[in-house]
Amino acid sequence: GVRASSAPFSSVKGSGDYDGYAVAICKDIVSSLSKDLKKPLTIEYKEVDTSTRYTLLDSGVIDLECAGSSYNAEKLAVANYSIHFTDSILAAGKAGTSIKDLNDLAKAGVGMVASFSGEKNIRQFFTDKGVEITDSNLQKAQNYDALFLLLKQKRIDAIITNKAILIGEIAKQKNSKDFVILEETKIKENDKLGIVSPAKDQDFTNKVKATVKGLYTNGTLEKYSKQYFGDGLSAESK
């Protein structure tokens, strides 16, 4: 399971091929499985989004979800997580925005992708600030392309998601310098992201976790981190 718009974890290139940090990890997982089984395995990419990924995983349509998925304890009945990354949940806005910190963010209209695993954190943030959540101050879109369009049209003031995804999605924009990461708006730190596998297949998940841990130990995750994110972001496996 991959996503066309979740750079730099998973995105589709002009050639139609999928690439990204999480996609590279999944390729290594498949390679490791091939060696164990002593036969070649073919990767079939199936596009998913935040609203379909768990259903497709639980039904067996996909075996792995290879994107920037946050650990979600509420989904453990259908999903296992092989943690490969820690990140912050924060906001990005247009250059020159008046949003400087969390107090400013509480007064703003923000957007997020539907079924974002960090939605609970976002809602708790507004609740803690004493702000009633409405469709005007918390809007949802199906993907990040749609969110950036809302931001360009001034229908929202900021986008909230994982920092790594914001970096990747801003880099994709034609005028990337028009957007900035708002470092002082961290709603959550050390948000754990992972490759997602089916909860009902523990043997498969154990293999996935062992492979990801091996990639961390031998330095491959660090190499992928620098390749896809640059410095300043943390790859890990637990």
Side-chain angles (χ1 to χ4, degrees):
V2 289
R3 297 189 221 170
S5 176
S6 191
F9 288 97
S10 173
S11 61
V12 64
K13 299 188 292 186
S15 61
D17 295 327
Y18 287 89
D19 189 30
Y21 175 84
V23 176
I25 292 172
C26 281
K27 288 179 179 177
D28 287 339
I29 292 170
V30 174
S31 178
S32 181
L33 287 168
S34 293
K35 291 178 182 177
D36 285 355
L37 296 170
K38 296 181 172 59
K39 66 177 184 179
L41 296 177
T42 301
I43 297 176
E44 181 181 357
Y45 295 110
K46 291 185 178 292
E47 194 165 318
V48 302
D49 58 38
T50 53
S51 62
T52 62
R53 53 185 170 169
Y54 293 114
T55 301
L56 295 177
L57 188 76
D58 190 42
S59 65
V61 174
I62 61 172
D63 302 296
L64 293 169
E65 199 241 356
C66 310
S69 294
S70 298
Y71 174 84
N72 188 337
E74 296 173 358
K75 298 295 184 182
L76 292 179
V78 297
N80 271 306
Y81 298 83
S82 299
I83 304 301
H84 57 61
F85 206 85
T86 57
D87 201 4
S88 301
I89 296 176
L90 45 58
K94 296 193 73 174
T97 178
S98 61
I99 300 173
K100 303 301 180 185
D101 54 28
L102 288 171
N103 288 328
D104 294 332
L105 188 65
K107 304 170 188 175
V110 304
M112 56 171 274
V113 289
S115 300
F116 173 47
S117 298
E119 179 175 355
K120 185 175 181 179
N121 300 103
I122 296 172
R123 289 184 173 274
Q124 188 62 52
F125 160 72
F126 279 115
T127 299
D128 291 344
K129 291 292 185 179
V131 178
E132 181 182 357
I133 298 172
T134 66
D135 291 340
S136 62
N137 64 7
L138 180 56
Q139 295 190 48
K140 297 182 182 181
Q142 198 63 30
N143 54 51
Y144 290 102
D145 289 338
L147 281 179
F148 272 88
L149 181 59
L150 291 175
L151 187 58
K152 291 172 185 176
Q153 294 174 338
K154 299 182 180 180
R155 293 166 62 187
I156 57 175
D157 304 304
I159 296 170
I160 300 180
T161 189
N162 293 103
K163 179 179 178 179
I165 292 178
L166 286 171
I167 290 173
E169 292 299 322
I170 287 175
K172 285 170 51 182
Q173 302 303 309
K174 185 176 181 180
N175 299 312
S176 58
K177 293 183 180 180
D178 290 345
F179 306 95
V180 291
I181 304 290
L182 304 173
E183 295 286 358
E184 301 303 317
T185 63
K186 289 180 182 176
I187 289 176
K188 182 181 180 182
E189 296 188 83
N190 298 320
D191 187 41
K192 297 186 180 297
L193 284 70
I195 302 298
V196 190
S197 54
K200 55 190 173 187
D201 194 338
Q202 192 60 51
D203 289 340
F204 179 60
T205 288
N206 289 342
K207 174 62 182 176
V208 173
K209 287 187 175 183
T211 303
V212 174
K213 189 172 183 64
L215 295 175
Y216 171 68
T217 303
N218 66 23
T220 299
L221 288 190
E222 187 65 26
K223 181 186 77 173
Y224 288 159
S225 179
K226 290 179 180 179
Q227 177 182 347
Y228 291 102
F229 308 127
D231 296 326
L233 295 172
S234 170
E236 70 168 55
S237 175
K238 291 183 179 179

